[in-house]
Amino acid sequence: MKLLICDDDPMTLKALEFQFKKDGFEILKAVDGKEARDTLNNNNDIGLLVTDLYMPMITGLELITYVRKTMNSQMPILVLTRVNVEDTILHAFELGANDYLTKPFSLNELSIRVKHLLKRE
């Protein structure tokens, strides 16, 4: 299964890519929301979107809105961010995020959450 990970921090992208490959997933990466949107438009077999909230070009919140409204997709969306503000978290869920994890996070917890979202044990 393909996962799209979108984060403007290169170290976070590398850590996510390493963990998800170890978990057996095929990985597509994007360094900003625009690149993520383009990748989503060019790949109809992405099973999960993992996105940061605050990125250049298009934010994670805008990306969630795009996936839910424009693509009319049921694709699970996991938000990873340093922002731990209740209003922002609630807004991400209102827009259609399925789960939310605050940085820094445990890669083991991340793996469990992704497997849960994909109903994969």
Side-chain angles (χ1 to χ4, degrees):
M1 175 176 295
K2 283 185 191 173
L3 305 185
L4 173 57
I5 52 178
C6 182
D7 200 302
D8 59 339
D9 176 39
M11 294 306 291
T12 300
L13 270 180
K14 283 188 184 298
L16 294 174
E17 180 180 24
F18 174 80
Q19 183 64 43
F20 290 144
K21 282 185 175 180
K22 187 174 115 181
D23 290 341
F25 295 107
E26 184 179 339
I27 304 304
L28 300 172
K29 299 182 291 185
V31 296
D32 61 49
K34 182 183 180 317
E35 186 177 355
R37 185 189 64 198
D38 293 345
T39 301
L40 286 163
N41 287 335
N42 293 320
N43 294 274
N44 61 358
D45 58 345
I46 296 171
L48 175 84
L49 170 63
V50 179
T51 186
D52 190 8
L53 284 186
Y54 295 105
M55 301 174 292
M57 312 292 267
I58 295 174
T59 68
L61 293 173
E62 292 169 321
L63 193 57
I64 294 167
T65 300
Y66 178 78
V67 169
R68 293 296 183 240
K69 291 189 176 176
T70 307
M71 298 181 73
N72 195 19
S73 174
Q74 297 301 310
M75 174 192 319
I77 300 173
L78 172 64
V79 173
L80 301 176
T81 189
R82 295 196 193 294
V83 176
N84 195 12
V85 177
E86 184 177 12
D87 287 346
T88 304
I89 295 168
L90 293 174
H91 190 56
F93 280 120
E94 287 168 359
L95 292 175
N98 299 92
D99 202 355
Y100 192 102
L101 197 55
T102 304
K103 296 175 187 177
F105 51 85
S106 153
L107 289 175
N108 290 327
E109 180 182 359
L110 175 66
S111 287
I112 290 168
R113 287 176 182 260
V114 165
K115 289 173 185 173
H116 175 75
L117 285 171
L118 296 172
K119 307 292 189 257
R120 228 174 113 172
E121 299 302 325

PDB file of all heavy atoms in Angstrom, residues 34-50:
ATOM      1  N   LYS A  34       1.574  21.953  -1.774  1.00  0.00           N
ATOM      2  CA  LYS A  34       1.363  21.967  -3.229  1.00  0.00           C
ATOM      3  C   LYS A  34       1.895  20.684  -3.854  1.00  0.00           C
ATOM      4  O   LYS A  34       1.219  20.074  -4.686  1.00  0.00           O
ATOM      5  CB  LYS A  34       2.031  23.183  -3.860  1.00  0.00           C
ATOM      6  CG  LYS A  34       1.797  23.277  -5.366  1.00  0.00           C
ATOM      7  CD  LYS A  34       2.524  24.457  -5.969  1.00  0.00           C
ATOM      8  CE  LYS A  34       2.319  24.578  -7.458  1.00  0.00           C
ATOM      9  NZ  LYS A  34       2.401  23.349  -8.225  1.00  0.00           N
ATOM     10  N   GLU A  35       3.087  20.281  -3.447  1.00  0.00           N
ATOM     11  CA  GLU A  35       3.647  19.033  -3.967  1.00  0.00           C
ATOM     12  C   GLU A  35       2.769  17.839  -3.562  1.00  0.00           C
ATOM     13  O   GLU A  35       2.554  16.923  -4.354  1.00  0.00           O
ATOM     14  CB  GLU A  35       5.080  18.848  -3.462  1.00  0.00           C
ATOM     15  CG  GLU A  35       5.779  17.651  -4.077  1.00  0.00           C
ATOM     16  CD  GLU A  35       7.228  17.498  -3.622  1.00  0.00           C
ATOM     17  OE1 GLU A  35       7.753  18.361  -2.895  1.00  0.00           O
ATOM     18  OE2 GLU A  35       7.822  16.487  -4.018  1.00  0.00           O
ATOM     19  N   ALA A  36       2.245  17.873  -2.344  1.00  0.00           N
ATOM     20  CA  ALA A  36       1.355  16.795  -1.888  1.00  0.00           C
ATOM     21  C   ALA A  36       0.080  16.753  -2.732  1.00  0.00           C
ATOM     22  O   ALA A  36      -0.362  15.677  -3.145  1.00  0.00           O
ATOM     23  CB  ALA A  36       1.013  16.977  -0.415  1.00  0.00           C
ATOM     24  N   ARG A  37      -0.500  17.916  -2.993  1.00  0.00           N
ATOM     25  CA  ARG A  37      -1.711  17.970  -3.814  1.00  0.00           C
ATOM     26  C   ARG A  37      -1.444  17.419  -5.213  1.00  0.00           C
ATOM     27  O   ARG A  37      -2.224  16.628  -5.740  1.00  0.00           O
ATOM     28  CB  ARG A  37      -2.234  19.407  -3.896  1.00  0.00           C
ATOM     29  CG  ARG A  37      -3.570  19.500  -4.632  1.00  0.00           C
ATOM     30  CD  ARG A  37      -3.957  20.915  -4.900  1.00  0.00           C
ATOM     31  NE  ARG A  37      -2.963  21.503  -5.808  1.00  0.00           N
ATOM     32  CZ  ARG A  37      -2.796  22.804  -5.977  1.00  0.00           C
ATOM     33  NH1 ARG A  37      -3.531  23.670  -5.316  1.00  0.00           N
ATOM     34  NH2 ARG A  37      -1.888  23.252  -6.828  1.00  0.00           N
ATOM     35  N   ASP A  38      -0.312  17.814  -5.798  1.00  0.00           N
ATOM     36  CA  ASP A  38       0.045  17.310  -7.128  1.00  0.00           C
ATOM     37  C   ASP A  38       0.241  15.794  -7.106  1.00  0.00           C
ATOM     38  O   ASP A  38      -0.189  15.089  -8.018  1.00  0.00           O
ATOM     39  CB  ASP A  38       1.312  17.997  -7.640  1.00  0.00           C
ATOM     40  CG  ASP A  38       1.105  19.489  -7.912  1.00  0.00           C
ATOM     41  OD1 ASP A  38      -0.067  19.938  -7.982  1.00  0.00           O
ATOM     42  OD2 ASP A  38       2.122  20.203  -8.033  1.00  0.00           O
ATOM     43  N   THR A  39       0.887  15.296  -6.055  1.00  0.00           N
ATOM     44  CA  THR A  39       1.100  13.853  -5.930  1.00  0.00           C
ATOM     45  C   THR A  39      -0.233  13.121  -5.789  1.00  0.00           C
ATOM     46  O   THR A  39      -0.436  12.076  -6.411  1.00  0.00           O
ATOM     47  CB  THR A  39       2.010  13.555  -4.713  1.00  0.00           C
ATOM     48  OG1 THR A  39       3.264  14.228  -4.898  1.00  0.00           O
ATOM     49  CG2 THR A  39       2.255  12.065  -4.558  1.00  0.00           C
ATOM     50  N   LEU A  40      -1.146  13.673  -5.007  1.00  0.00           N
ATOM     51  CA  LEU A  40      -2.479  13.068  -4.860  1.00  0.00           C
ATOM     52  C   LEU A  40      -3.212  13.035  -6.204  1.00  0.00           C
ATOM     53  O   LEU A  40      -3.867  12.045  -6.537  1.00  0.00           O
ATOM     54  CB  LEU A  40      -3.308  13.859  -3.842  1.00  0.00           C
ATOM     55  CG  LEU A  40      -2.922  13.658  -2.382  1.00  0.00           C
ATOM     56  CD1 LEU A  40      -3.503  14.772  -1.522  1.00  0.00           C
ATOM     57  CD2 LEU A  40      -3.380  12.294  -1.897  1.00  0.00           C
ATOM     58  N   ASN A  41      -3.083  14.109  -6.974  1.00  0.00           N
ATOM     59  CA  ASN A  41      -3.755  14.169  -8.278  1.00  0.00           C
ATOM     60  C   ASN A  41      -3.181  13.178  -9.277  1.00  0.00           C
ATOM     61  O   ASN A  41      -3.888  12.752 -10.197  1.00  0.00           O
ATOM     62  CB  ASN A  41      -3.661  15.583  -8.856  1.00  0.00           C
ATOM     63  CG  ASN A  41      -4.567  16.549  -8.146  1.00  0.00           C
ATOM     64  OD1 ASN A  41      -5.570  16.176  -7.563  1.00  0.00           O
ATOM     65  ND2 ASN A  41      -4.205  17.820  -8.163  1.00  0.00           N
ATOM     66  N   ASN A  42      -1.920  12.802  -9.116  1.00  0.00           N
ATOM     67  CA  ASN A  42      -1.255  11.909 -10.061  1.00  0.00           C
ATOM     68  C   ASN A  42      -1.195  10.452  -9.607  1.00  0.00           C
ATOM     69  O   ASN A  42      -0.628   9.617 -10.312  1.00  0.00           O
ATOM     70  CB  ASN A  42       0.164  12.419 -10.344  1.00  0.00           C
ATOM     71  CG  ASN A  42       0.147  13.734 -11.088  1.00  0.00           C
ATOM     72  OD1 ASN A  42      -0.661  13.938 -11.987  1.00  0.00           O
ATOM     73  ND2 ASN A  42       1.018  14.645 -10.703  1.00  0.00           N
ATOM     74  N   ASN A  43      -1.754  10.139  -8.447  1.00  0.00           N
ATOM     75  CA  ASN A  43      -1.727   8.774  -7.916  1.00  0.00           C
ATOM     76  C   ASN A  43      -3.074   8.459  -7.298  1.00  0.00           C
ATOM     77  O   ASN A  43      -3.419   9.003  -6.246  1.00  0.00           O
ATOM     78  CB  ASN A  43      -0.637   8.628  -6.836  1.00  0.00           C
ATOM     79  CG  ASN A  43       0.749   8.776  -7.392  1.00  0.00           C
ATOM     80  OD1 ASN A  43       1.327   7.829  -7.870  1.00  0.00           O
ATOM     81  ND2 ASN A  43       1.274   9.996  -7.340  1.00  0.00           N
ATOM     82  N   ASN A  44      -3.824   7.588  -7.925  1.00  0.00           N
ATOM     83  CA  ASN A  44      -5.151   7.266  -7.395  1.00  0.00           C
ATOM     84  C   ASN A  44      -5.142   6.058  -6.460  1.00  0.00           C
ATOM     85  O   ASN A  44      -6.198   5.584  -6.057  1.00  0.00           O
ATOM     86  CB  ASN A  44      -6.147   7.056  -8.531  1.00  0.00           C
ATOM     87  CG  ASN A  44      -5.758   5.905  -9.428  1.00  0.00           C
ATOM     88  OD1 ASN A  44      -4.725   5.275  -9.237  1.00  0.00           O
ATOM     89  ND2 ASN A  44      -6.592   5.629 -10.414  1.00  0.00           N
ATOM     90  N   ASP A  45      -3.950   5.586  -6.096  1.00  0.00           N
ATOM     91  CA  ASP A  45      -3.879   4.397  -5.246  1.00  0.00           C
ATOM     92  C   ASP A  45      -3.194   4.668  -3.906  1.00  0.00           C
ATOM     93  O   ASP A  45      -2.675   3.757  -3.276  1.00  0.00           O
ATOM     94  CB  ASP A  45      -3.170   3.263  -5.989  1.00  0.00           C
ATOM     95  CG  ASP A  45      -1.760   3.630  -6.435  1.00  0.00           C
ATOM     96  OD1 ASP A  45      -1.425   4.827  -6.429  1.00  0.00           O
ATOM     97  OD2 ASP A  45      -1.003   2.722  -6.802  1.00  0.00           O
ATOM     98  N   ILE A  46      -3.230   5.906  -3.441  1.00  0.00           N
ATOM     99  CA  ILE A  46      -2.658   6.243  -2.139  1.00  0.00           C
ATOM    100  C   ILE A  46      -3.659   5.837  -1.068  1.00  0.00           C
ATOM    101  O   ILE A  46      -4.832   6.215  -1.119  1.00  0.00           O
ATOM    102  CB  ILE A  46      -2.320   7.747  -2.050  1.00  0.00           C
ATOM    103  CG1 ILE A  46      -1.232   8.086  -3.068  1.00  0.00           C
ATOM    104  CG2 ILE A  46      -1.890   8.125  -0.641  1.00  0.00           C
ATOM    105  CD1 ILE A  46      -0.957   9.569  -3.225  1.00  0.00           C
ATOM    106  N   GLY A  47      -3.171   5.077  -0.080  1.00  0.00           N
ATOM    107  CA  GLY A  47      -4.061   4.552   0.947  1.00  0.00           C
ATOM    108  C   GLY A  47      -4.159   5.386   2.203  1.00  0.00           C
ATOM    109  O   GLY A  47      -5.099   5.227   2.984  1.00  0.00           O
ATOM    110  N   LEU A  48      -3.198   6.303   2.414  1.00  0.00           N
ATOM    111  CA  LEU A  48      -3.187   7.111   3.630  1.00  0.00           C
ATOM    112  C   LEU A  48      -2.354   8.361   3.399  1.00  0.00           C
ATOM    113  O   LEU A  48      -1.304   8.291   2.762  1.00  0.00           O
ATOM    114  CB  LEU A  48      -2.582   6.322   4.796  1.00  0.00           C
ATOM    115  CG  LEU A  48      -2.387   7.076   6.115  1.00  0.00           C
ATOM    116  CD1 LEU A  48      -3.673   7.065   6.933  1.00  0.00           C
ATOM    117  CD2 LEU A  48      -1.276   6.446   6.934  1.00  0.00           C
ATOM    118  N   LEU A  49      -2.826   9.482   3.925  1.00  0.00           N
ATOM    119  CA  LEU A  49      -2.083  10.740   3.884  1.00  0.00           C
ATOM    120  C   LEU A  49      -1.631  11.073   5.296  1.00  0.00           C
ATOM    121  O   LEU A  49      -2.446  11.085   6.227  1.00  0.00           O
ATOM    122  CB  LEU A  49      -2.967  11.872   3.350  1.00  0.00           C
ATOM    123  CG  LEU A  49      -2.415  13.295   3.468  1.00  0.00           C
ATOM    124  CD1 LEU A  49      -1.133  13.465   2.654  1.00  0.00           C
ATOM    125  CD2 LEU A  49      -3.467  14.309   3.040  1.00  0.00           C
ATOM    126  N   VAL A  50      -0.330  11.305   5.458  1.00  0.00           N
ATOM    127  CA  VAL A  50       0.239  11.791   6.719  1.00  0.00           C
ATOM    128  C   VAL A  50       0.765  13.187   6.424  1.00  0.00           C
ATOM    129  O   VAL A  50       1.615  13.354   5.549  1.00  0.00           O
ATOM    130  CB  VAL A  50       1.389  10.872   7.201  1.00  0.00           C
ATOM    131  CG1 VAL A  50       1.990  11.418   8.496  1.00  0.00           C
ATOM    132  CG2 VAL A  50       0.896   9.444   7.392  1.00  0.00           C
TER     133      VAL A  50
END
